[in-house]
Amino acid sequence: MKTLTLLRHAKSGWDDPVARDFDRPLNPKGHRAAQTMGRHMRGLGLAFDHVVASPAVRVKETLAEIEKGFGSELAPEWEKRLYLASAPTLLDIVQECDDAIDNLLFVGHNPGLEELVLLLVPGGSDLRSDVEEKFPTASLAQIRFDADSWRKVDGGTGTLLRFVRPRDLDPALGPDR
């Protein structure tokens, strides 16, 4: 069995005057949401053999806050291809992973993460429908594959185990009104 967990970066600050999208930091709500999600991940007992993350500032800040809530360092491999990657690119990166890894965490961006879930998980479940509706910032999706190799991971082969949004943990972390 292989398990892929996808985590979207937390809410970033669009008001922050940065020259490049890559450099956009988290806003205060994003910091809170990421710490909350980290605590939830710890409560679920999640563990990862390997973490691959976009090197964008908002992803680095998300991981720093996740680690505070999670209670341990995640030590990501910074992968430039994850920055604003499409679902096919993300799938290529998944399929390149070492088969000694059973529990893999990707931390990145939308729309690629959402599209990857929709590609990997067949339709028909309420959880998948929730992802299809929206994969908000700081949300986590966990997919299991009945496979012994990441190369066998492909469209429609996954089972969505969980989809958790920050607002599911704290209603104050839901959409701004």
Side-chain angles (χ1 to χ4, degrees), residues 35-47:
Q35 266 195 48
T36 299
M37 188 59 72
R39 285 191 298 275
H40 184 70
M41 291 164 62
R42 181 182 62 216
L44 292 171
L46 299 186

Side-chain angles (χ1 to χ4, degrees), residues 163-175:
F163 177 55
V164 183
R165 300 163 295 201
R167 71 173 177 235
D168 299 330
L169 308 174
D170 179 352
L173 296 173

Side-chain angles (χ1 to χ4, degrees), residues 53-140:
S54 160
V57 169
R58 58 192 177 274
V59 173
K60 288 182 174 185
E61 290 184 359
T62 296
L63 275 168
E65 296 297 338
I66 290 283
E67 289 173 344
K68 288 177 189 175
F70 194 59
S72 65
E73 189 177 342
L74 292 170
E77 170 190 341
W78 302 110
E79 172 57 72
K80 289 179 184 174
R81 292 181 296 165
L82 256 67
Y83 176 66
L84 303 180
S86 66
T89 298
L90 292 168
L91 181 56
D92 286 347
I93 298 167
V94 168
Q95 291 173 339
E96 292 168 8
C97 285
D98 187 320
D99 289 332
I101 298 164
D102 289 325
N103 293 294
L104 178 62
L105 171 64
F106 272 20
V107 187
H109 311 267
N110 249 8
L113 293 178
E114 178 179 323
E115 292 168 355
L116 184 61
V117 174
L118 300 178
L119 171 69
L120 295 175
V121 177
S125 76
D126 289 343
L127 280 180
R128 186 185 187 280
S129 295
D130 288 346
V131 171
E132 193 170 4
E133 183 181 315
K134 186 172 183 178
F135 196 118
T137 53
S139 292
L140 177 140

